[in-house]
Amino acid sequence: MKKLIIILTMILPLISNGEDLLENQLKSERFSFSLQVGMGDATGVAIEQIKNGLQDVINKSLDRADYSLAKAAIQALGAIDAWKEANLDLLETAFDQLDKKSRNLFTNMSVLINQANELVTNNLETSRQIVENTNQITESIPGSGKRSFILRYFPSVLSPLIADSVLITFRGVNLEKAQIGVTLPDNTVRKVNIVGPQEVSFWLPISALPIDQSKHQVFELKVNHITRDGNTAIFWPKYRNVSRTILISSLPKQAATFALTGIRSFENEERIIYTADMGRFSGTNTSVEKIANLANGYKWDLRGGVSSHQNFRIVSTGRGEAGRCQEIIWNGSNEHGIIGRARLDRIRQVRFPDVRYSDGYKHCGIEGPIYRFISTTAGLEPISGQLFWGQDEIIELPTDISEFTLSIKSFTGEDKIITNNYSDEFLSVSKERSRLIIRTKIPTDLIK
């Protein structure tokens, strides 16, 4: 049969805007995918290729314990099967004759399959894109018909805090008409309770799973369901047995490990004994006062009040005649300037036959402690530890911390670098003045 090769050049990540998905993807990063379909039964062939590709993704993902990608592919496989059964009349239609929205949805899924199998980008992001594309395929499935389909299930993650059992819910179409059983790892079969046409549920006992809380585990549960077939005999309806695998993940008791570093910004005090020169005092038979000022941000250390005065004295800082450094005047002095007083007499010089007089003089200064604060930064002593589900980790911080870096390595192996308040589906981080609070949040799924 003659084949039509459709070469699609697309950009990733995918844009999720309905019919305009392909047109909106022509941007910067490019990825090529070849899809071969027959001219006659191209749609059926294309869908089988996509299903085979999804099964390949599932197998490879389970081999490398990539739970999120495997679950996304399983969910997509169920949705595509449901679309196929609801659109049997379109399977013989050429793929390029499908409506634009359907072509785009299946083409996007093909690109994502190739992307997942070749590990082109981050698998968690690929998982999210597959789930998003799956949801759009699901929404396009007609609601009428006799077939029943299981399309979604939740929760898919078991908390280590659950001691007894958890209610697992399936969502789909015509589920009240199906006979559904779930085979557990211990080979027991659980029947489901019908909630309505689109929902059934069953209680999963924790004891039925060989859970080891020291590690992240994934369990495969077989779901068998008997449903009305799309083809009905003349007098009796036909039934078929559909088998599906669902993945249930158990969380380890330890949610993550963390390492905290940071920068402290503070004022460091510098204190020294210093002599401030007031310069030359001069005069005749008088007392002269001057102020000893400081520069470079220093202050006289008068923080002790009156008791600190004993730490200061007026001193000679140079030559003089008929003068002396007398005392400190505290009235009017402050941390910015201290008043010093010098006593000055008259200089008498006898030069026969004359006597000459001039001002006495003296160089004086104030000696005492001065201080200033210098802006300083220092590294915070590194802190590391473990995070556990249901337990807040409270880390005491110095009040002068100016920035922090919190490195989180989650149980999934994902690394996060957090430098401010933060929140996602697994944890929240909030900084108060003197502490950092890390709070774990138990998820119901690992992909959103």
Side-chain angles (χ1 to χ4, degrees):
M1 179 181 293
K2 184 179 179 182
K3 298 290 184 178
L4 171 66
I5 301 179
I6 303 174
I7 306 295
L8 302 170
T9 302
M10 313 190 71
I11 191 118
L12 303 171
L14 295 173
I15 310 297
S16 58
N17 188 21
E19 293 187 355
D20 294 326
L21 284 172
L22 296 181
E23 288 79 0
N24 290 340
Q25 288 167 341
L26 300 177
K27 296 198 185 262
S28 57
E29 183 181 353
R30 295 187 174 273
F31 179 78
S32 295
F33 172 76
S34 261
L35 174 64
Q36 294 189 12
V37 295
M39 290 295 291
D41 57 352
T43 297
V45 171
I47 288 179
E48 286 306 310
Q49 288 180 351
I50 292 171
K51 289 177 58 180
N52 290 339
L54 283 170
Q55 190 59 57
D56 196 25
V57 171
I58 294 168
N59 294 339
K60 290 180 179 179
S61 299
L62 290 177
D63 285 344
R64 61 176 180 259
D66 189 340
Y67 159 77
S68 299
L69 191 56
K71 179 179 183 291
I74 287 173
Q75 189 167 307
L77 191 62
I80 290 175
D81 260 351
W83 187 95
K84 176 182 174 182
E85 294 295 337
N87 294 278
L88 293 174
D89 56 324
L90 297 178
L91 299 184
E92 298 300 320
T93 304
F95 181 78
D96 60 358
Q97 296 302 308
L98 288 180
D99 64 276
K100 184 178 180 181
K101 180 177 181 179
S102 295
R103 290 200 315 272
N104 288 351
L105 288 175
F106 288 118
T107 301
N108 287 340
M109 187 62 76
S110 300
V111 174
L112 287 169
I113 290 168
N114 220 26
Q115 178 179 321
N117 280 327
E118 295 184 10
L119 303 177
V120 173
T121 61
N122 177 273
N123 278 349
L124 186 57
E125 180 57 31
T126 303
S127 303
R128 289 171 177 147
Q129 293 177 20
I130 290 176
V131 169
E132 185 173 338
N133 205 61
T134 298
N135 291 339
Q136 294 181 57
I137 292 174
T138 300
E139 290 169 2
S140 70
I141 297 173
S144 60
K146 298 178 180 179
R147 283 291 311 276
S148 50
F149 307 107
I150 295 174
L151 301 174
R152 300 185 181 93
Y153 65 96
F154 62 89
S156 61
V157 174
L158 303 182
S159 163
L161 305 181
I162 299 174
D164 187 12
S165 57
V166 62
L167 185 67
I168 306 294
T169 299
F170 295 115
R171 288 278 176 83
V173 179
N174 295 329
L175 295 183
E176 86 283 8
K177 300 176 182 179
Q179 300 176 36
I180 303 174
V182 182
T183 303
L184 304 183
D186 62 3
N187 291 321
T188 61
V189 177
R190 290 293 172 120
K191 298 297 183 181
V192 300
N193 299 312
I194 297 174
V195 179
Q198 296 180 334
E199 185 174 310
V200 297
S201 61
F202 75 99
W203 285 98
L204 172 63
I206 300 300
S207 59
L209 304 177
I211 292 177
D212 181 352
Q213 289 195 346
S214 68
K215 59 185 178 181
H216 176 219
Q217 294 173 284
V218 178
F219 302 99
E220 298 180 44
L221 307 184
K222 297 297 182 182
V223 180
N224 295 302
H225 102 258
I226 299 175
T227 176
R228 292 280 294 268
D229 201 340
N231 299 316
T232 305
I234 297 176
F235 299 107
W236 295 277
K238 288 185 177 180
Y239 292 89
R240 63 182 295 191
N241 194 321
V242 180
S243 181
R244 280 279 177 265
T245 298
I246 66 171
L247 301 181
I248 299 293
S249 174
S250 67
L251 297 177
K253 185 177 180 181
Q254 180 178 298
T257 58
F258 73 89
L260 176 69
T261 58
I263 299 295
R264 295 173 54 220
S265 298
F266 53 93
E267 298 291 312
N268 192 40
E269 180 180 321
E270 181 184 73
R271 187 176 186 272
I272 58 174
I273 302 300
Y274 180 74
T275 298
D277 192 353
M278 293 182 287
R280 178 186 171 105
F281 291 73
S282 63
T284 298
N285 299 327
T286 187
S287 294
V288 176
E289 297 173 357
K290 287 190 175 185
I291 299 177
N293 295 309
L294 299 172
N296 299 322
Y298 281 102
K299 298 177 182 178
W300 293 109
D301 193 354
L302 298 174
R303 291 172 293 182
V306 175
S307 63
S308 65
H309 294 176
Q310 61 185 342
N311 299 323
F312 296 85
R313 63 188 182 121
I314 188 169
V315 296
S316 171
T317 57
R319 297 175 59 186
E321 186 176 352
R324 68 183 187 278
C325 302
Q326 189 174 33
E327 61 183 336
I328 295 174
I329 307 299
W330 289 111
N331 187 22
S333 294
N334 56 46
E335 62 184 4
H336 302 291
I338 293 179
I339 302 170
R341 175 183 290 168
R343 177 63 190 179
L344 304 165
D345 298 322
R346 185 172 63 175
I347 299 174
R348 181 174 181 271
Q349 294 177 321
V350 179
R351 292 183 180 179
F352 187 83
D354 298 325
V355 178
R356 301 181 65 180
Y357 297 94
S358 61
D359 290 343
Y361 68 93
K362 183 60 181 169
H363 288 263
C364 300
I366 300 296
E367 180 188 88
I370 62 174
Y371 73 99
R372 67 176 176 178
F373 289 102
I374 302 173
S375 295
T376 306
T377 59
L380 180 70
E381 189 71 23
I383 302 171
S384 60
Q386 295 82 40
L387 300 175
F388 297 93
W389 300 111
Q391 298 179 24
D392 291 352
E393 180 72 21
I394 300 177
I395 303 173
E396 299 297 329
L397 298 174
T399 57
D400 55 16
I401 189 168
S402 57
E403 59 183 82
F404 71 88
T405 299
L406 180 66
S407 301
I408 301 282
K409 190 174 188 64
S410 78
F411 68 97
T412 63
E414 185 178 6
D415 292 313
K416 291 185 175 70
I417 302 297
I418 299 168
T419 59
N420 208 330
N421 289 346
Y422 175 85
S423 180
D424 63 19
E425 63 267 31
F426 298 124
L427 80 160
S428 65
V429 177
S430 58
K431 179 184 178 297
E432 298 180 353
R433 176 174 170 77
S434 60
R435 63 180 186 170
L436 192 71
I437 302 175
I438 310 173
R439 178 168 290 126
T440 56
K441 297 186 290 186
I442 299 175
T444 58
D445 204 338
L446 299 185
I447 49 176
K448 297 295 183 182

